């Protein structure tokens, strides 16, 4: 039986590390606001690269004011995202980089990035897995959803970067 570790790609198009850190701060602020008071009055401070702003309004108002656009699946093809690249040239593609990073017992990395001796914990059911071929690596924001939400307008390089992002320090699955 196959289990899935879920990988998350950033919601925004690929950006330099300092921009990713800023987005991470903003995402955490929104998550904190949603966690604290679903429906009450929320004060959220967001930090931008050059300035800070404070917003104080009901969460319901903030959510109601989020822009909504029709999603478009036309033209979607998973191959347009160029998955599982070896960005650092070490012989291990993104899938194996995630497996190595997320192992609860680190595997031995052999020729051609073959993995032996590792263990992986499924966050979803608490099961432990020892065969990397039994584990799928997926994106928490599916590539089709990214396409529907605007990735169709990105360059091929942006889609590749999105699909293979390893820049977020939080564990996969997220």
């Amino acid at each position: 039986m196959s289990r899935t570790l879920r990988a998350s790609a950033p919601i925004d198009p690929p950006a330099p590390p300092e921009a990713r850190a800023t987005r991470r701060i903003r995402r955490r602020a929104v998550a904190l606001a949603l966690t604290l008071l679903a429906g009450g009055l929320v004060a959220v401070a967001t930090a931008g690269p050059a300035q800070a702003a404070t917003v104080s309004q009901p969460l319901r108002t903030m959510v109601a004011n989020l822009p909504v656009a029709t999603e478009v699946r036309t033209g979607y093809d998973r191959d347009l995202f160029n998955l599982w690249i070896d960005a650092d040239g070490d012989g291990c593609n993104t899938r194996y980089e995630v497996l190595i990073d997320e192992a609860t017992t680190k595997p031995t990395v052999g020729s051609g990035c073959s993995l032996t001796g590792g263990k992986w914990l499924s966050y979803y059911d608490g099961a432990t897995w020892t065969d990397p071929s039994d584990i799928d690596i997926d994106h928490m924001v599916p590539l089709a959803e990214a396409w529907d939400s605007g990735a169709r307008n990105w360059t091929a390089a942006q889609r590749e970067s999105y699909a293979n992002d390893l820049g977020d320090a939080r564990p996969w699955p997220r």
Side-chain angles (χ1 to χ4, degrees), residues 46-129:
T46 60
Q51 62 189 18
T54 301
V55 177
S56 181
Q57 59 184 233
L59 178 60
R60 290 180 197 275
T61 302
M62 291 171 36
V63 171
N65 289 332
L66 289 172
V68 177
T70 302
E71 294 183 337
V72 178
R73 181 68 50 100
T74 305
Y76 171 71
D77 183 341
R78 187 174 174 87
D79 292 338
L80 292 171
F81 286 83
N82 195 21
L83 293 164
W84 309 139
I85 64 169
D86 180 8
D88 60 6
D90 68 354
C92 294
N93 68 26
T94 306
R95 179 182 192 281
Y96 287 93
E97 298 283 0
V98 171
L99 287 167
I100 293 165
D101 188 51
E102 290 302 310
T104 55
T105 299
K106 295 299 180 194
T108 300
V109 180
S111 175
C113 201
S114 63
L115 305 181
T116 56
K119 288 186 181 179
W120 293 267
L121 173 68
S122 167
Y123 291 82
Y124 301 103
D125 61 9
T128 299
W129 300 88

Side-chain angles (χ1 to χ4, degrees), residues 152-173:
R152 67 187 170 283
N153 299 319
W154 296 349
T155 66
Q158 287 174 310
R159 286 191 297 271
E160 179 178 293
S161 180
Y162 177 89
N164 294 282
D165 181 60
L166 294 171
D168 194 326
R170 291 174 293 178
W172 295 32

Side-chain angles (χ1 to χ4, degrees), residues 23-41:
R23 281 198 311 261
R24 197 174 306 129
I25 291 167
R26 287 183 182 148
R27 283 194 306 256
R28 288 181 182 155
V30 170
L32 178 60
L34 292 172
T35 302
L36 290 176
L37 296 170
L41 186 63

